[in-house]
Amino acid sequence: INNAAKDGFHTNDKFMISRTAEHAPVINITATNDGIDCGKGEVIIDAGKTSITSGGEAIKAVYEAAEPDPLIVPKATINGGYIEFTTTGDKSSGIKTNGEFAQNGGIVHGTVKGNGSKVINCDKNVTFNNGKVTGLCEGTVLNDTTSAGGIKCEGNFTLNSGTISMKCSGKGAKGLNCKIAMIKGGEVTLLSEAENFNGAHGDRKSVAVDADNLIVTGGRTILSAYSYAVSTTNANLTNGALHAISQN
């Protein structure tokens, strides 16, 4: 799909990429707005190679209604395949859902370039059971007013297995922002770079992990930020390895 005036794909109930007996699909999307937009259901990617360049969200599973149907549960799930995306709009996200996000396999590589943009933006829980994700989030130091970030979820973040690498820049950039961050296995590397904090009113510090609670029971965690490697109320470290560096 070349130069879609709005969305590359726009569907209601479900968008799925799966494997046939002969081959896995190859999908290339260039869109002014969203690459894949599923308005009333779920996005599932099991296989293939998907490449998206979009002005808005690359992959979107967001359900909004004045009187929401309780039977409609939006979510995004990646079970396999290779997904790469680049978004350029302010406050745009690589993967956006107001439900749950889970990755059980496959490889995700994303770049988001707008101010306030997020690689993964989820209103509920984010869970990694396997697979690999690498993300580059490029906000600006002077003008990013909403904090660019790698992974933002309003619920809990859980890493059971797999590999996550995020590098974020811009004022107030955050590698991971969630309620509870639970790292049980796998490896996560979060770099948050922004050197302009000067204590002025409204200014924000760059943070690798910003969570109410950080629980590490396994795996390997590598954190580096200009201001705070970890900003949390409670930290519980019982196993695994954690390396934290503050550049300021």
Side-chain angles (χ1 to χ4, degrees), residues 16-109:
M16 176 180 285
I17 301 175
S18 60
R19 183 183 298 276
T20 66
E22 292 80 16
H23 61 274
V26 176
I27 299 175
N28 298 306
I29 301 169
T30 303
T32 301
N33 289 349
D34 303 326
I36 298 170
D37 185 344
C38 184
K40 293 184 179 179
E42 57 184 326
V43 174
I44 302 173
I45 299 178
D46 293 331
K49 181 179 179 181
T50 305
S51 178
I52 300 171
T53 301
S54 62
E57 269 64 72
I59 298 172
K60 181 179 179 181
V62 174
Y63 171 53
E64 296 176 331
E67 298 181 2
D69 185 342
L71 298 178
I72 297 176
V73 182
K75 60 182 178 180
T77 305
I78 296 172
N79 296 314
Y82 177 81
I83 302 102
E84 62 180 5
F85 54 76
T86 300
T87 71
T88 56
D90 286 352
K91 299 183 182 180
S92 62
S93 300
I95 299 173
K96 167 67 176 176
T97 178
N98 59 355
E100 308 252 341
F101 171 79
Q103 185 169 344
N104 303 309
I107 298 173
V108 176
H109 178 69

Side-chain angles (χ1 to χ4, degrees), residues 154-165:
E154 299 296 334
N156 300 332
F157 167 89
T158 304
L159 175 62
N160 293 311
S161 184
T163 304
I164 300 172
S165 299

Side-chain angles (χ1 to χ4, degrees), residues 56-211:
E57 269 64 72
I59 298 172
K60 181 179 179 181
V62 174
Y63 171 53
E64 296 176 331
E67 298 181 2
D69 185 342
L71 298 178
I72 297 176
V73 182
K75 60 182 178 180
T77 305
I78 296 172
N79 296 314
Y82 177 81
I83 302 102
E84 62 180 5
F85 54 76
T86 300
T87 71
T88 56
D90 286 352
K91 299 183 182 180
S92 62
S93 300
I95 299 173
K96 167 67 176 176
T97 178
N98 59 355
E100 308 252 341
F101 171 79
Q103 185 169 344
N104 303 309
I107 298 173
V108 176
H109 178 69
T111 300
V112 293
K113 296 184 177 181
N115 290 336
S117 55
K118 309 289 189 293
V119 178
I120 297 173
N121 192 348
C122 177
D123 285 1
K124 294 187 179 180
N125 297 325
V126 170
T127 304
F128 288 88
N129 296 312
N130 213 329
K132 181 177 182 180
V133 56
T134 60
L136 178 62
C137 186
E138 298 180 348
T140 62
V141 172
L142 296 178
N143 300 319
D144 196 341
T145 59
T146 55
S147 299
I151 299 174
K152 181 181 183 299
C153 64
E154 299 296 334
N156 300 332
F157 167 89
T158 304
L159 175 62
N160 293 311
S161 184
T163 304
I164 300 172
S165 299
M166 295 285 177
K167 181 178 180 181
C168 306
S169 64
K171 181 188 290 187
K174 296 179 180 180
L176 169 62
N177 185 6
C178 63
K179 298 293 184 183
I180 301 176
M182 294 179 285
I183 301 171
K184 302 178 180 181
E187 181 171 310
V188 56
T189 302
L190 303 172
L191 310 179
S192 185
E193 302 175 342
E195 301 179 4
N196 72 315
F197 178 80
N198 57 18
H201 178 71
D203 214 351
R204 291 174 306 281
K205 297 182 178 181
S206 62
V207 181
V209 173
D210 189 347

